[in-house]
């Protein structure tokens, strides 16, 4: 298979790759070809040109699967660039989960350390709840509505009655196993969003923008908290393995890093 990858300066390079190549393998290949220094921050990005959306592809994702979700006539691109924040929440969870946006199951004691938060996200039994206001675009309309959202293991919900968390007031918004999360790169321009901190969910096999579930936060910290929590919810332990992989088996022969490369 041949893929085309763009650099920051919009020059592109065609690579012939096996069909089961991961995003991390593509980065390793480009690091070798370009004689770059590998500081573990090189990342493959997906940019959806028409909708002004983009996302960092997770290291373990298969690049061909990502491309298979593209619509033929769209000029979508893969970019190769650095992303220092990729696993920053493992090093500094304090900066990612502000106290007013997170609450813990009643059976855990109130004082959960910040490394404890990560352990809860990665465990399969308990799960911290992220909550707060987000603006949501009403389906099929141009208008946006400010609603109180809650993130739980089963998906994202909003309250139909103020900040009530009662089950009868919670309405399902979306789940994440069959969709990918994108950041809005154009700010308010395309979607008419009330703020510049937009993100959305796009079903994997979907018919364009009408199926997007669009949200926007009031500030960057809030958007980062929601997006980080959703990444942890969606990928769980896999993210931690991605983060640890460069540090394992430095001799280069651990079973984890034997790739087609």
């Amino acid at each position: 298979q041949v893929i085309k990858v763009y650099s920051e300066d919009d020059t592109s390079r065609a690579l012939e790759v096996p069909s089961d190549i991961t995003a991390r393998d593509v980065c390793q290949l480009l690091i070798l070809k370009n004689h770059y220094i590998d500081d573990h921050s090189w990342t493959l990005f997906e940019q959806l040109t028409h909708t002004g959306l983009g996302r960092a592809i997770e290291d373990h994702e298969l690049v061909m699967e990502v491309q298979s979700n593209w619509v033929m006539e769209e000029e979508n691109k893969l970019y190769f660039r650095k992303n220092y924040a990729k696993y920053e929440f493992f090093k500094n969870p304090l900066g990612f989960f502000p106290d007013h946006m997170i609450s813990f199951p009643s059976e855990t004691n109130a004082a959960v350390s910040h490394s404890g938060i990560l352990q809860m996200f990665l465990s399969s039994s308990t799960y911290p709840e992220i909550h707060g206001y987000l603006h949501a675009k009403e389906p099929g309309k141009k208008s946006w509505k400010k609603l109180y959202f809650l993130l739980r293991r089963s998906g994202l919900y909003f309250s139909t009655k103020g900040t009530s968390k009662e089950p009868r007031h919670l309405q399902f918004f979306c789940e994440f196993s069959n969709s990918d999360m994108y950041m809005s790169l154009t700010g308010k321009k395309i979607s008419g969003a009330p703020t510049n901190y937009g993100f959305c969910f796009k079903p994997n096999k979907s018919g364009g923008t009408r199926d997007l579930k669009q949200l926007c936060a009031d500030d960057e910290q809030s958007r980062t908290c929601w997006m980080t929590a959703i990444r942890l919810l969606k990928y769980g332990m896999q993210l931690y393995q991605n983060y640890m992989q460069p540090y394992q088996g430095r001799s280069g022969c651990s079973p984890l890093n034997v790739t087609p490369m």
Side-chain angles (χ1 to χ4, degrees):
Q1 307 267 358
V2 175
I3 59 170
K4 194 173 185 183
V5 184
Y6 288 81
S7 300
E8 287 284 27
D9 59 1
D10 257 344
T11 56
S12 69
R13 184 165 199 156
L15 295 175
E16 200 171 327
V17 296
S19 58
D20 61 350
I21 196 163
T22 64
R24 166 168 270 154
D25 291 336
V26 171
C27 290
Q28 292 296 323
L29 193 59
L30 287 162
I31 289 164
L32 287 170
K33 282 187 181 291
N34 293 318
H35 307 293
Y36 290 154
I37 291 168
D38 185 7
D39 59 1
H40 312 312
S41 68
W42 289 102
T43 306
L44 209 56
F45 283 84
E46 173 188 11
Q47 201 158 312
L48 308 179
T49 318
H50 282 304
T51 45
L53 301 173
R55 72 179 183 107
I57 301 172
E58 300 293 355
D59 284 340
H60 65 276
E61 286 187 78
L62 299 176
V63 178
M64 292 306 155
E65 266 181 28
V66 173
Q67 285 199 335
S68 72
N69 293 326
W70 290 0
V71 182
M72 284 304 285
E73 58 275 11
E74 293 180 359
E75 294 158 20
N76 298 334
K77 291 179 177 177
L78 292 173
Y79 276 92
F80 170 63
R81 56 173 179 253
K82 287 186 180 237
N83 175 16
Y84 292 108
K86 184 158 54 167
Y87 299 123
E88 193 53 41
F89 54 90
F90 283 125
K91 302 168 195 164
N92 168 31
L94 201 63
F96 284 82
F97 301 108
D99 291 338
H100 66 277
M101 287 184 68
I102 191 163
S103 52
F104 301 100
S106 48
E107 64 269 17
T108 54
N109 59 7
V112 178
S113 72
H114 274 83
S115 61
I117 292 176
L118 285 174
Q119 282 160 0
M120 285 174 79
F121 272 119
L122 298 174
S123 84
S124 54
S125 52
T126 55
Y127 196 76
E129 187 179 82
I130 303 290
H131 47 81
Y133 282 100
L134 287 168
H135 304 267
K137 189 168 192 292
E138 299 192 74
K141 297 184 189 169
K142 285 199 164 127
S143 55
W144 291 72
K145 207 169 187 175
K146 193 168 189 174
L147 297 163
Y148 189 73
F149 276 84
L150 295 104
L151 177 65
R152 296 190 167 164
R153 200 169 268 295
S154 51
L156 188 61
Y157 298 82
F158 62 88
S159 177
T160 55
K161 190 176 180 186
T163 58
S164 166
K165 295 183 182 183
E166 279 187 49
R168 64 198 172 105
H169 295 143
L170 292 185
Q171 197 168 325
F172 180 73
F173 185 77
C174 84
E175 58 93 49
F176 317 111
S177 57
N178 297 314
S179 59
D180 288 311
M181 178 171 57
Y182 290 84
M183 203 150 125
S184 166
L185 304 175
T186 53
K188 305 177 188 180
K189 276 211 300 274
I190 290 185
S191 56
T195 77
N196 280 322
Y197 308 104
F199 62 104
C200 71
F201 302 97
K202 178 177 171 290
N204 296 142
K205 303 277 182 273
S206 87
T209 49
R210 68 173 183 278
D211 294 325
L212 292 180
K213 303 252 186 192
Q214 298 187 65
L215 294 166
C216 75
D218 282 327
D219 52 56
E220 188 55 72
Q221 185 190 33
S222 165
R223 171 166 74 174
T224 302
C225 177
W226 284 106
M227 291 184 76
T228 304
I230 289 163
R231 272 178 77 199
L232 280 160
L233 183 74
K234 183 171 161 106
Y235 299 110
M237 218 42 211
Q238 177 71 59
L239 274 192
Y240 187 67
Q241 287 161 0
N242 293 354
Y243 165 58
M244 289 307 288
Q245 191 177 343
Y247 308 106
Q248 287 163 340
R250 277 291 189 208
S251 58
C253 56
S254 91
L256 272 171
N257 53 22
V258 176
T259 61
M261 223 118 287

